[in-house]
Amino acid sequence: AESPIAGTSLTASSIVAHGSLVYAAANGRIFKSTDAAQNWSEVYAPATPLDADTELHLNPGVTAQLVARPESWNSTYEERVDVTLDGGAGWSSTSDCCYSWAGVLALGPSEASRIYYFGYRPRVSTNGGLSFTETRGSGQLVWYPWPAAYVNPANSNRAWYGDADGRL
């Protein structure tokens, strides 16, 4: 597909999609396509550019919610996440989430307000990622290889976390 920035090529650090809706993080910004990557528009260019290893999370049940967070083995342990709840029209940035690169986000598929972060300092957001509070537990809950976490679609107060060793 054609680059969204005329005369340049982009290398995306993360791409997420739902049907013909596609988001890509590249060059410190986020781009969006609504026609299966045929045409692109820039939807986010923060004052402090996104890290080259930014990871995107698109909520499977509420596709207007997109979360971007730095993700790198040699991370500076930045706790920032950037979130949109309206498909990219408006963005908020928080700095109270996601301590360390070793963690995983779980988005509420039926409720965009619920986000869990499982990592060294587990956190939960009840306002779509605009702010986070600590949850019970601490320590190395997450390590390589990457685990998976899911919010219960029937009860957003519950989430499951699993690792590569089969633990749940």
Side-chain angles (χ1 to χ4, degrees):
E2 191 73 22
S3 170
I5 301 175
T8 66
S9 63
L10 297 175
T11 302
S13 63
S14 183
I15 297 173
V16 292
H18 184 79
S20 62
L21 175 64
V22 182
Y23 289 95
N27 289 26
R29 296 172 275 184
I30 297 177
F31 301 92
K32 177 180 180 179
S33 173
T34 57
D35 59 5
Q38 296 304 305
N39 297 288
W40 293 91
S41 62
E42 182 181 283
V43 292
Y44 189 46
T48 303
L50 297 171
D51 185 88
D53 293 320
T54 292
E55 180 182 90
L56 299 178
H57 299 269
L58 180 62
N59 191 324
V62 186
T63 57
Q65 181 186 29
L66 179 72
V67 178
R69 72 177 260 245
E71 193 64 42
S72 173
W73 179 269
N74 296 319
S75 175
T76 57
Y77 299 104
E78 184 176 352
E79 297 185 23
R80 168 183 167 193
V81 294
D82 298 275
V83 63
T84 182
L85 300 175
D86 59 12
W91 288 83
S92 295
S93 183
T94 66
S95 60
D96 58 359
C97 174
C98 313
Y99 177 79
S100 91
W101 63 268
V104 63
L105 288 170
L107 306 178
S110 61
E111 182 184 350
S113 63
R114 188 63 55 131
I115 300 176
Y116 290 94
Y117 168 73
F118 295 97
Y120 188 76
R121 294 182 186 157
R123 303 260 195 251
V124 65
S125 174
T126 57
N127 60 10
L130 302 178
S131 64
F132 287 80
T133 58
E134 286 191 40
T135 61
R136 290 182 288 162
S138 65
Q140 296 179 355
L141 300 176
V142 180
W143 205 250
Y144 185 82
W146 298 111
Y150 301 95
V151 177
N152 183 335
N155 179 354
S156 63
N157 290 318
R158 300 191 74 182
W160 295 282
Y161 160 83
D163 66 16
D165 295 328
R167 292 178 292 210
L168 182 63

